[in-house]
Amino acid sequence: MEEGGYTLNNLITSLLLFINNPEVRDTDYQIASCLLEHCYEIKNMTIQELAEKSYVSVSTINRFLKMYGFSRYSIFKSVFYQHVLSRYNQMRGRLSEWMSGQVECMLHMVLSEVAYRRVTDSVRQYGKAEILSQRI
């Protein structure tokens, strides 16, 4: 829970709902779209810059944020950016796990059992492995 008792997962879901509703293109849509489009820039963006990029007034941004329990833009942008960064790192970790699983499967298919064990032992011991190959 963050300021105002609103979780950021709920906020992100709400932002996605705004932009995925083709029937409504109001100021909330504009703000939601801008926040998602510039999520990595929010940390360094002033409320005036966000308002300009969203094509709304500063007071409209403040009303939007109050709807989600944030009393000040400075608090929102800090918390929002940390959440975005955390989600990015989670996705990177999941992708890394998936990729390593894919690489392991591929190596197991193309290497002999002895070579496969040498590679996996090297990775466990040193955190990396170098594989040199001859053309067949």
Side-chain angles (χ1 to χ4, degrees):
M1 297 287 218
E2 305 302 339
E3 178 181 317
Y6 206 89
T7 66
L8 279 173
N9 284 333
N10 290 340
L11 173 62
I12 299 296
T13 301
S14 293
L15 296 178
L16 292 170
L17 287 172
F18 279 125
I19 66 166
N20 288 317
N21 183 355
E23 297 169 9
V24 179
R25 297 283 193 247
D26 59 3
T27 56
D28 290 339
Y29 168 86
Q30 290 171 237
I31 296 168
S33 178
C34 187
L35 286 171
L36 292 171
E37 184 177 342
H38 300 284
C39 63
Y40 296 106
E41 301 164 34
I42 294 294
K43 178 182 171 190
N44 299 315
M45 196 181 294
T46 67
I47 193 167
Q48 290 83 6
E49 291 170 326
L50 178 60
E52 286 174 18
K53 288 182 185 293
S54 301
Y55 304 102
V56 300
S57 68
V58 169
S59 59
T60 302
I61 297 286
N62 281 321
R63 279 192 298 275
F64 183 86
L65 297 178
K66 282 187 174 126
M67 205 168 47
Y68 294 101
F70 291 95
S71 61
R72 292 188 355 227
Y73 175 71
S74 60
I75 294 170
F76 166 79
K77 75 177 186 174
S78 174
V79 171
F80 183 73
Y81 182 77
Q82 289 303 316
H83 182 71
V84 166
L85 198 57
S86 171
R87 297 297 295 225
Y88 172 78
N89 287 331
Q90 284 176 345
M91 288 188 297
R92 247 180 96 197
R94 289 178 186 153
L95 181 60
S96 177
E97 289 171 13
W98 179 82
M99 289 295 290
S100 65
Q102 296 297 313
V103 169
E104 187 175 337
C105 283
M106 182 200 63
L107 289 175
H108 198 69
M109 289 188 317
V110 298
L111 296 175
S112 69
E113 190 63 34
V114 173
Y116 175 78
R117 287 181 204 265
R118 272 193 236 141
V119 168
T120 56
D121 288 346
S122 176
V123 169
R124 282 189 200 101
Q125 185 174 1
Y126 303 108
K128 65 180 181 176
E130 293 182 21
I131 302 171
L132 302 175
S133 172
Q134 292 180 327
R135 289 186 177 213
I136 300 176

